[in-house]
């Protein structure tokens, strides 16, 4: 998945980016990227399969990468 260099984001930009995600995507991205949880831990937390976690993470990070590129324009 694409990585987003968060050190270059203002708080407002980060909030704007995260606001485009669905609730599930936002929860999964936060749990894995910020809290450092594994896909299995996230699946157990939210009562979903590990596959669903991976799909939500991929879609969320992809959406963030597209939106991040749009911030510079």
């Amino acid at each position: 998945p694409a990585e987003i260099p968060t050190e270059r984001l203002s708080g407002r930009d980060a909030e704007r980016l995260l606001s485009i995600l669905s609730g599930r995507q936002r929860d999964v991205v936060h749990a894995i990227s910020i809290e450092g949880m594994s896909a299995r831990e996230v699946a157990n937390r939210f009562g979903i399969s590990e596959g669903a976690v991976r799909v939500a993470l991929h879609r969320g990070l992809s959406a963030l990468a597209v939106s991040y590129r749009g911030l510079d324009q």
Side-chain angles (χ1 to χ4, degrees), residues 3 6-8 10 14-15 18-20 25 31 33-34 43-44 50-51 53-54 60 64 68-69:
E3 291 194 25
T6 55
E7 69 277 355
R8 292 183 7 190
S10 70
E15 286 180 29
L18 290 172
S19 73
I20 65 141
Q25 289 171 349
S33 300
I34 306 300
N44 288 333
E50 289 182 54
V53 169
R54 288 190 292 274
L64 289 174
Y68 176 76
R69 285 193 288 271

Side-chain angles (χ1 to χ4, degrees), residues 35-61:
E35 295 180 47
M37 295 177 71
S38 69
R40 177 174 289 169
E41 291 169 327
V42 175
N44 288 333
R45 177 189 276 185
F46 297 114
I48 59 177
S49 70
E50 289 182 54
V53 169
R54 288 190 292 274
V55 168
L57 180 64
H58 174 76
R59 290 180 180 167
L61 291 177

Side-chain angles (χ1 to χ4, degrees), residues 18-36:
L18 290 172
S19 73
I20 65 141
L21 300 180
S22 71
R24 170 69 45 85
Q25 289 171 349
R26 189 171 35 256
D27 290 344
V28 168
V29 168
H30 185 273
I32 290 178
S33 300
I34 306 300
E35 295 180 47

